[in-house]
Amino acid sequence: MSGSAGDAGVFLAHATPGNVPPELTPIRLLTGWVFEPIPILVAMLFGGLYLYGVHKLRARGDSWSRWRSFSFLGLGLGTFLLATESALAAYDTVLLSVHMVQHMVLAMITPIFLALGAPITLALRTLPIKWRNRLNALLHSRYAKVVTFPAFAGFLFVLNPFALYFTPWYELTLRNTFMHDMNHVHFVIIGCMWFWPLLGLDPMPRASHPMRLLAVFATLPFHAWLGIAIMSSSNVLAGDWYNDLGRDWGASPLSDQGTAGGILWGSGDIIGLLVFLVLFVQWARASEREAVREDRRLDRLELIEAGRKAREERLAREAAEAGGGAEQGLEDAGKPVSKSTLPGDSAQTEEADSAVRVARGPEPRPAAAAE
């Protein structure tokens, strides 16, 4: 259905020759919509699963970040619906510049906010053990390590637009409705493969922070090169399609193509630089957390070492005290002992003297005593 009356309206999702929407105005860009059931169903499915996971988590007393929920539902799925249900979807086959805005939203903005929602972490915390183990096995499989490796994912992310715009693939997506819809899905998937391991919120294979920063920095020039190549081209991309479309308003296809190249160049570099800055901040915070953990570990080791030394010193003192008592006993045992000091010696001496006197008999008195 075309919005011929007024600036607002519901337009065809895929313009074709003979079914071109009215001239694009700022009002139509803001208020024009299409009805695409498949993107709506996809958003409802993944949004419903996410909300169910959050509800299940909170029902058992666990918390979940509201910012993560807003990132996934409001900004992630929200930008996905904006790109596929708004005027961007009504004019994406009419103007290359509008298609380029839609491309950047689906390939760069939507995947970033989906990643910030940490849906894999939510799934691992709410799935039954059987499915949790399967998801863990997939995340740590060789396949996952390959497709999320920065060199591989970055190569696909950079190659994707070159392969789209400089091959017959782009015109095919304009002429074939199914291929057009699959191209949108393709943008989101490639963007998720690139940004999710970079942001590193979900437990999946990911490189170190320096490697991620290097990967993002290495991809920045490619958006500029592609944008400049599109701007400077004298041939209209998918020229047969735009000539057959019969659009009689707005800029010429070649002029609109120059605008599209500028959008790709500028927005790609801006988003790439923002991601680079986010990764740098994450690296700095991770380094701070690692330093705190290392300080705590060293403090624990110092306490353990201090306790060990104190225990050794206590044992040494106890051993020294026990050894000193034993040596004193040995010294006393080696000394000569006086008989008078022995208990019972006085009585024994007196008895012996009495026996001697009895044996000798009475002693003779002195003469003086006799007289």
Side-chain angles (χ1 to χ4, degrees):
M1 180 173 61
S2 174
S4 56
D7 286 332
V10 178
F11 306 114
L12 291 173
H14 302 282
T16 57
N19 289 302
V20 179
E23 182 178 2
L24 180 62
T25 63
I27 296 297
R28 288 195 179 105
L29 182 62
L30 295 175
T31 60
W33 296 92
V34 301
F35 178 72
E36 276 283 4
I38 293 180
I40 293 175
L41 291 175
V42 169
M44 290 178 61
L45 173 63
F46 287 100
L49 290 174
Y50 193 95
L51 286 173
Y52 175 73
V54 173
H55 170 74
K56 187 175 180 180
L57 203 62
R58 291 180 175 171
R60 70 186 189 201
D62 294 335
S63 62
W64 184 255
S65 169
R66 292 182 179 179
W67 162 247
R68 288 186 175 184
S69 298
F70 179 68
S71 295
F72 187 88
L73 299 170
L75 300 177
L77 295 181
T79 55
F80 173 73
L81 289 176
L82 180 67
T84 56
E85 302 292 331
S86 70
L88 296 178
Y91 289 88
D92 66 338
T93 58
V94 180
L95 295 169
L96 181 59
S97 56
V98 174
H99 162 83
M100 199 61 70
V101 174
Q102 183 191 55
H103 173 171
M104 300 308 293
V105 170
L106 292 174
M108 301 192 75
I109 296 177
T110 297
I112 289 175
F113 287 115
L114 291 178
L116 292 176
I120 297 177
T121 300
L122 179 62
L124 290 173
R125 294 181 62 182
T126 56
L127 283 174
I129 295 178
K130 176 181 177 181
W131 291 100
R132 189 185 312 165
N133 292 336
R134 290 183 177 179
L135 181 56
N136 260 322
L138 176 62
L139 291 174
H140 295 88
S141 65
R142 182 175 299 178
Y143 170 78
K145 292 179 180 178
V146 171
V147 298
T148 58
F149 186 66
F152 181 80
F155 175 76
L156 289 181
F157 183 73
V158 168
L159 180 65
N160 180 51
F162 281 93
L164 173 65
Y165 297 117
F166 291 108
T167 66
W169 180 17
Y170 177 57
E171 186 167 352
L172 178 63
T173 63
L174 296 175
R175 296 185 179 277
N176 187 292
T177 301
F178 176 77
M179 293 297 296
H180 186 77
D181 292 338
M182 288 301 100
N183 193 37
H184 295 164
V185 175
H186 176 74
F187 285 151
V188 177
I189 292 175
I190 296 297
C192 288
M193 288 175 58
W194 173 237
F195 286 110
W196 282 21
L198 286 179
L199 296 176
L201 297 183
D202 281 322
M204 60 173 55
R206 53 181 179 264
S208 62
H209 282 93
M211 178 63 72
R212 283 183 264 173
L213 284 170
L214 181 62
V216 174
F217 186 76
T219 60
L220 288 177
F222 290 96
H223 287 102
W225 295 344
L226 179 59
I228 293 173
I230 292 176
M231 291 173 63
S232 59
S233 177
S234 58
N235 296 321
V236 177
L237 302 179
D240 292 341
W241 165 261
Y242 289 112
N243 290 330
D244 294 342
L245 200 60
R247 174 173 60 86
D248 57 0
W249 50 261
S252 66
L254 188 61
S255 176
D256 180 65
Q257 179 172 298
T259 303
I263 292 172
L264 176 61
W265 179 8
S267 61
D269 284 351
I270 291 173
I271 297 174
L273 286 173
L274 290 176
V275 172
F276 185 86
L277 292 176
V278 169
L279 288 177
F280 187 81
V281 172
Q282 285 184 348
W283 185 17
R285 291 180 177 177
S287 299
E288 291 177 0
R289 291 193 297 268
E290 183 63 27
V292 171
R293 284 194 296 266
E294 183 65 16
D295 290 341
R296 290 176 179 173
R297 187 184 70 84
L298 293 176
D299 290 341
R300 287 195 299 268
L301 290 177
E302 289 180 359
L303 289 175
I304 293 172
E305 182 65 18
R308 184 185 65 80
K309 289 183 178 180
R311 187 166 54 253
E312 289 180 352
E313 291 175 358
R314 179 175 57 81
L315 293 175
R317 285 196 305 270
E318 292 177 354
E321 292 173 358
E327 290 176 0
Q328 184 65 35
L330 292 175
E331 290 177 1
D332 293 343
K335 290 180 179 179
V337 181
S338 173
K339 290 183 179 181
S340 61
T341 62
L342 294 177
D345 279 356
S346 298
Q348 291 177 1
T349 303
E350 291 177 358
E351 291 177 0
D353 291 344
S354 299
V356 170
R357 285 195 299 270
V358 170
R360 288 179 179 177
E363 295 180 359
R365 293 183 176 182
E371 293 178 356

